Amino acid sequence: MAKKKNTSSSVDFNKIIRYLWGIFIVGTVGFLLFILAVSSNFLGLFGEMPEFKSLENPESELASELFSSDGYLLGKYYRENRSPVTYSELSKNTINALIATEDIRFEKHSGIDARGLSRVLIKTILLRQKSAGGGSTLSQQTAKNLFKTRSRDTQGLLNKIPGLNMLIIKTKEWIVATQLEKSYTKDEILTMYLNTSDFGSNAYGIKTAAKTFFNKEPNDLNIQESATLVGLFKAPSYYSPVFNPENSTRRRNTVLDQMRKYEFITTIQYDSISKLPIELIYNVENHNRGLATYFREVVKADLLKWTRENLKPDGSTYDLFGDGLRIYATVDSRVQRYAEDAIQDHMADLQKKFDTEVGNREPWIDNRGRAIPNFIENAVLRTDAYRNLKRRYESNEDSIQYKLNEKKKMRVFSWEQGEIDTLMSTMDSMRHYKKFLQAGFVSMDPHTGHIKAWVGGINHKHFKYDHVKQGKRQPGSTFKPFVYAAAIENGYGPCYMVIDQPVEVNIPNQPTWRPTNANNKFTYERMTIRKAMAQSVNSVTAYMMKKLSPRVVVETAHRLGITSDLDEVPALALGTSDVSIIEMVGAFSTFANKGEHITPIYIDRIEDKNGNVLHQFIPKKKPAMSEEHAYLMLYMLRGGTEEEGGTSQGVPWALRDQGNEIGGKTGTTQNASDGWYMGVTKDLVSGVWVGGDDRAIHFRSWISGQGSRTARPIWTNFMAKVYEDASLGITKGPFPRPERPLSVEIDCSMYDFDRNQFDEFEYDTNTTDF
């Protein structure tokens, strides 16, 4: 009986063994078939896998970067703010913290850690421990980051089944992880992981995270900073050192404990560092902060146009926000900073003067100095806020007006306190913002066409409108040099004499034009046209317009670089047609560039992420006037600082010493709505405009609103800073004279202007027809 029992037990045991082997074989074969089915997306049930080619060359979205000509990162264009680094740029502290916390056997496995996976299966399935972890290796997590294995785009029909969904996802990550291990070194995989991870606060990748949280480069991160950033991988929001500092400190210490456990740091280091508070230098990058904010937006618009018009070798379009393009601008970060500082310093002070003059009165006034009724109400009608409300309430004006006047929390701009938290309605904020004076500034190298500084307004966050290229206003007397340029080209030298007396111009079908001087007086004195331009005498300019005709002046201005439409009317001589600052600077640069016009450019080249040049921008050049005539115009412009009573006499002597020659022209439009200054030196041509967003907003006193007071101080402050910086290579000195002798004598003292000779220059005010 005993023998029979043993035989039965042996048979049962053998059956169990065969059964278990059967389960093992079937399970193994089934799992292999499952992996094969997942990798091939059998019948579309599992979702697409990345192609082998993409595994060999994985790509993630990279921010495109805009650099200044001196190598300063001005800004980025991105959906995900990510900039890559190499392994050599990583801190060893970060590498140690990452391996200790996320994958201590990283160097030993080939993408799948069987030991770690077994631990997770036993603890999660058998022991029901929720804290067992996910068992994912760094290679698997890199696969997840790179190829978005958990996104809807990579899922198939079977992913809709609970439980099976995660198995399919994990299987894909295992497959991709093993392929990554075959294609890349451990250092490369670790670097890819840090470059592709989300750290929260719109920081993607270790480089952006180090800059955002600690204002450091990745290789400068210390132990506690590295531990803080690595701690964010578990849950970027929950462990954010900004929004949840207690959670972040606790998680940082957990990372430090892992580093101590695996002997990356000592117990003494752990005890010391774990007691330290997290010290942040937190600064989230955005398009309203940093240097050249207006300029970056202008460049973005041009780049988007470029990406639509240029294709990659494979026929696809470039993606400004994901292809990691490297754009090199002509702007110099140092010059740009001096321009921004000059505007900030002057405009804050000018606004105080403006507010004092306006007092409790409304600043929007008509030609008689009376407040314009319903000015704010009409201005609101042009806003997006009004248009949105109109759509929402289907033109129900009562509801719209209620919402427009409903107070809500907002942050508004001020010069004295920066941003102010307050309660305001849409109408209140419109009234608040309309009272601010605006400014625009651009500076250009006249010999290359390269824009060196661009400031489109006083604060990009609160005032988006760019006054350099987008805005156009009447240039006032800064247009007069084009009248005199036409005169010079038509044989009138700088010493040509004209009497300051009333001028009357009649053109068929147009009203008679009788311009007055700025002070409404005439001296009836004779003066050279150089002195007349220096003193900005309207009557003399009008006379020259009368002799030349508006058509000639328009042709001259367009040839020199003005691109806006100009009205062929006599009043054009005093700058009545709207132009932009950038075209004015481009045209004045023709004088400083020996008569050759260069269209201003501000992008030098575009490169791909690997440094291959995709587009090199070449300035467009054309001869516009002779070298001699261009030099004569520089001599005319120098009159502003050299002639008695010149409108640039207020330029500090510190800018005019050491033999420095400066050409300058102020401009002030009627009612002082616009103040201008154009400054020309041998190395830079710069233009400044100051005024209200609306022409009705201006100083009540014409004296206070003159370009010499509103705009010229910005230029003088800017040039003082530029000359102080020897590293720029911008120096003082004279304008180069033409190699050939001048055909016109410019030393007016050499002429004997006796009565008989002067009779040749006299004129009457009879009607002239064009």
Side-chain angles (χ1 to χ4, degrees):
M1 292 294 294
K3 187 175 181 180
K4 186 176 181 180
K5 184 177 180 180
N6 289 338
T7 301
S8 177
S9 298
S10 176
V11 171
D12 291 341
F13 180 74
N14 288 336
K15 285 183 178 180
I16 292 172
I17 294 297
R18 285 195 298 272
Y19 180 71
L20 291 175
W21 269 108
I23 292 175
F24 175 76
I25 293 171
V26 170
T28 301
V29 171
F31 186 65
L32 291 175
L33 290 174
F34 178 75
I35 292 176
L36 182 63
V38 171
S39 63
S40 63
N41 188 23
F42 182 67
L43 299 178
L45 297 173
F46 303 94
E48 294 294 335
M49 286 283 293
E51 298 179 1
F52 180 77
K53 183 178 180 180
S54 64
L55 292 174
E56 289 287 334
N57 299 283
E59 294 187 5
S60 59
E61 283 203 344
L62 300 179
S64 293
E65 298 177 322
L66 176 66
F67 293 93
S68 66
S69 61
D70 57 321
Y72 181 85
L73 179 61
L74 293 172
K76 302 177 183 179
Y77 306 107
Y78 53 81
R79 280 182 292 270
E80 296 180 353
N81 187 6
R82 186 197 319 275
S83 297
V85 295
T86 61
Y87 184 81
S88 62
E89 296 175 272
L90 296 173
S91 165
K92 192 66 177 176
N93 297 318
T94 306
I95 296 170
N96 293 340
L98 178 63
I99 290 175
T101 308
E102 299 293 330
D103 191 355
I104 192 58
R105 282 181 292 280
F106 177 64
E107 297 290 344
K108 299 178 181 178
H109 61 67
S110 298
I112 302 175
D113 183 7
R115 181 173 163 187
L117 188 60
S118 300
R119 183 197 75 240
V120 171
L121 290 174
I122 292 171
K123 288 186 176 181
T124 302
I125 298 176
L126 299 180
L127 301 180
R128 304 285 184 177
Q129 293 181 4
K130 294 183 179 180
S131 61
S136 293
T137 63
L138 282 175
S139 302
Q140 289 172 241
Q141 293 180 53
T142 303
K144 178 181 69 175
N145 290 348
L146 282 172
F147 302 107
K148 313 296 183 186
T149 54
R150 305 193 180 197
S151 68
R152 291 184 178 181
D153 294 339
T154 63
Q155 296 184 5
L157 295 174
L158 294 181
N159 286 86
K160 297 179 181 179
I161 302 175
L164 185 58
N165 174 49
M166 185 52 65
L167 177 60
I168 293 172
I169 289 173
K170 285 289 186 181
T171 302
K172 287 182 178 181
E173 291 173 2
W174 292 332
I175 295 170
V176 175
T178 56
Q179 291 294 332
L180 289 176
E181 291 276 351
K182 292 178 183 178
S183 303
Y184 297 96
T185 66
K186 290 289 186 179
D187 289 352
E188 289 172 331
I189 292 173
L190 190 148
T191 305
M192 281 193 284
Y193 176 73
L194 287 171
N195 277 335
T196 56
S197 293
D198 179 7
F199 290 83
S201 293
N202 201 29
Y204 295 84
I206 187 65
K207 183 174 183 177
T208 306
K211 189 72 173 177
T212 298
F213 291 100
F214 301 108
N215 195 31
K216 286 187 174 183
E217 293 298 316
N219 56 3
D220 295 327
L221 293 170
N222 60 32
I223 295 173
Q224 78 129 326
E225 292 164 346
S226 295
T228 301
L229 293 182
V230 168
L232 289 169
F233 293 144
K234 190 173 180 66
S237 297
Y238 185 75
Y239 293 111
S240 169
V242 178
F243 305 109
N244 294 296
E246 292 183 2
N247 296 348
S248 180
T249 301
R250 188 170 63 252
R251 179 62 183 167
R252 178 204 64 181
N253 290 346
T254 299
V255 175
L256 291 172
D257 189 48
Q258 288 292 104
M259 295 178 74
R260 178 196 58 76
K261 176 181 177 181
Y262 294 112
E263 300 182 350
F264 289 113
I265 60 174
T266 65
T267 300
I268 294 175
Q269 284 178 302
Y270 170 79
D271 291 339
S272 174
I273 298 173
S274 63
K275 292 181 175 62
L276 294 174
I278 297 177
E279 297 180 356
L280 299 175
I281 305 179
Y282 183 67
N283 182 28
V284 178
E285 289 187 46
N286 66 55
H287 301 303
N288 292 318
R289 292 181 179 176
L291 205 60
T293 48
Y294 287 93
F295 177 71
R296 280 147 47 187
E297 286 300 300
V298 171
V299 171
K300 182 175 77 172
D302 286 2
L303 291 173
L304 288 172
K305 183 175 183 291
W306 182 88
T307 58
R308 291 192 297 267
E309 296 174 350
N310 294 270
L311 299 178
K312 296 179 182 178
D314 62 4
S316 62
T317 57
Y318 287 99
D319 180 7
L320 175 63
F321 305 106
D323 280 346
L325 302 176
R326 297 170 68 85
I327 303 100
Y328 291 87
T330 64
V331 161
D332 185 293
S333 69
R334 298 160 294 181
V335 180
Q336 176 69 27
R337 194 174 302 281
Y338 299 147
E340 293 188 11
D341 289 347
I343 283 185
Q344 293 289 308
D345 293 343
H346 177 66
M347 292 305 294
D349 183 59
L350 188 67
Q351 188 67 47
K352 290 180 183 177
K353 295 177 180 177
F354 181 70
D355 293 342
T356 299
E357 184 187 273
V358 171
N360 295 324
R361 298 171 296 181
E362 303 287 21
W364 33 88
I365 54 179
D366 60 20
N367 292 335
R368 296 182 180 180
R370 299 173 302 186
I372 300 173
N374 300 318
F375 178 86
I376 293 299
E377 288 77 5
N378 291 329
V380 166
L381 300 180
R382 300 188 293 269
T383 65
D384 289 335
Y386 178 80
R387 285 188 285 268
N388 292 335
L389 287 172
K390 194 168 183 178
R391 284 193 296 268
R392 179 179 176 183
Y393 293 103
E394 299 179 350
S395 301
N396 185 323
E397 279 301 320
D398 289 340
S399 298
I400 292 172
Q401 290 303 318
Y402 176 81
K403 283 295 182 181
L404 288 174
N405 288 280
E406 181 183 37
K407 294 188 182 296
K408 46 190 174 288
K409 291 182 179 179
M410 61 175 67
R411 305 189 77 184
V412 298
F413 172 77
S414 77
W415 281 115
E416 297 82 5
Q417 304 174 51
E419 288 189 326
I420 302 174
D421 290 310
T422 185
L423 284 173
M424 275 191 181
S425 67
T426 301
M427 298 294 289
D428 294 333
S429 66
M430 175 65 73
R431 182 171 285 103
H432 173 77
Y433 282 122
K434 280 293 184 182
K435 294 180 179 179
F436 284 93
L437 295 176
Q438 298 295 326
F441 177 94
V442 70
S443 188
M444 169 179 158
D445 181 337
H447 310 296
T448 63
H450 289 181
I451 297 297
K452 308 309 292 183
W454 180 307
V455 188
I458 59 173
N459 184 284
H460 185 261
K461 180 177 180 181
H462 296 278
F463 306 95
K464 300 295 186 187
Y465 192 79
D466 173 67
H467 292 282
V468 170
K469 185 179 181 181
Q470 188 178 6
K472 292 187 177 185
R473 298 289 280 264
Q474 292 180 343
S477 292
T478 55
F479 190 85
K480 289 177 180 177
F482 302 120
V483 178
Y484 291 106
I488 292 291
E489 289 187 314
N490 281 275
Y492 299 94
C495 298
Y496 181 72
M497 299 289 284
V498 178
I499 295 177
D500 172 21
Q501 64 182 8
V503 177
E504 180 179 297
V505 181
N506 286 284
I507 295 180
N509 302 318
Q510 290 188 23
T512 299
W513 184 53
R514 300 185 185 91
T516 61
N517 288 327
N519 60 2
N520 293 314
K521 298 178 181 179
F522 299 97
T523 64
Y524 295 93
E525 297 177 358
R526 58 178 179 167
M527 60 181 65
T528 64
I529 60 172
R530 183 179 193 248
K531 184 174 183 178
M533 191 176 89
Q535 295 182 353
S536 205
V537 180
N538 290 345
S539 65
V540 176
T541 310
Y543 173 69
M544 297 310 300
M545 172 65 94
K546 182 175 181 178
K547 291 184 74 70
L548 295 164
S549 85
R551 182 179 296 276
V552 171
V553 172
V554 168
E555 186 280 326
T556 302
H558 281 156
R559 176 162 36 84
L560 291 172
I562 298 298
T563 57
S564 295
D565 293 333
L566 301 174
D567 296 327
E568 289 187 11
V569 295
L572 177 65
L574 306 185
T576 54
S577 291
D578 289 353
V579 294
S580 67
I581 305 174
I582 192 168
E583 61 186 303
M584 287 288 283
V585 166
F588 271 66
S589 291
T590 303
F591 303 139
N593 194 42
K594 300 181 179 180
E596 183 178 56
H597 173 68
I598 302 180
T599 301
I601 68 168
Y602 41 85
I603 303 176
D604 178 56
R605 68 186 185 278
I606 301 173
E607 296 179 356
D608 66 15
K609 64 180 180 181
N610 298 314
N612 300 309
V613 177
L614 302 176
H615 195 119
Q616 180 75 53
F617 292 85
I618 307 298
K620 296 179 181 178
K621 304 178 181 181
K622 66 175 183 179
M625 70 189 318
S626 71
E627 182 179 356
E628 177 176 314
H629 290 157
Y631 182 77
L632 291 176
M633 279 309 301
L634 290 177
Y635 181 68
M636 293 281 289
L637 286 165
R638 284 165 48 195
T641 57
E642 297 173 0
E643 292 278 357
E644 182 181 356
T647 57
S648 291
Q649 282 289 312
V651 172
W653 178 250
L655 295 182
R656 294 190 270 163
D657 62 358
Q658 302 176 35
N660 197 31
E661 291 182 347
I662 294 173
K665 189 70 196 78
T666 57
T668 311
T669 57
Q670 191 175 19
N671 293 331
S673 295
D674 305 274
W676 289 76
Y677 190 74
M678 302 299 300
V680 183
T681 65
K682 66 181 181 64
D683 294 325
L684 287 178
V685 175
S686 310
V688 191
W689 167 86
V690 173
D693 262 335
D694 192 284
R695 298 173 204 262
I697 301 168
H698 52 78
F699 280 96
R700 290 174 180 258
S701 163
W702 191 87
I703 298 297
S704 299
Q706 288 183 89
S708 59
R709 299 192 178 196
T710 61
R712 191 181 66 200
I714 292 174
W715 182 84
T716 58
N717 293 345
F718 165 74
M719 289 304 300
K721 295 173 187 290
V722 167
Y723 282 138
E724 288 172 2
D725 189 343
S727 68
L728 295 174
I730 297 173
T731 57
K732 297 177 180 179
F735 294 110
R737 288 178 68 101
E739 292 183 5
R740 298 177 62 181
L742 297 177
S743 62
V744 177
E745 178 59 62
I746 60 176
D747 183 357
C748 298
S749 65
M750 300 295 291
Y751 291 94
D752 181 16
F753 289 113
D754 60 29
R755 181 65 186 174
N756 292 331
Q757 289 174 311
F758 181 66
D759 284 342
E760 299 177 12
F761 302 116
E762 285 205 14
Y763 59 91
D764 57 41
T765 58
N766 293 334
T767 300
T768 299
D769 295 330
F770 296 113

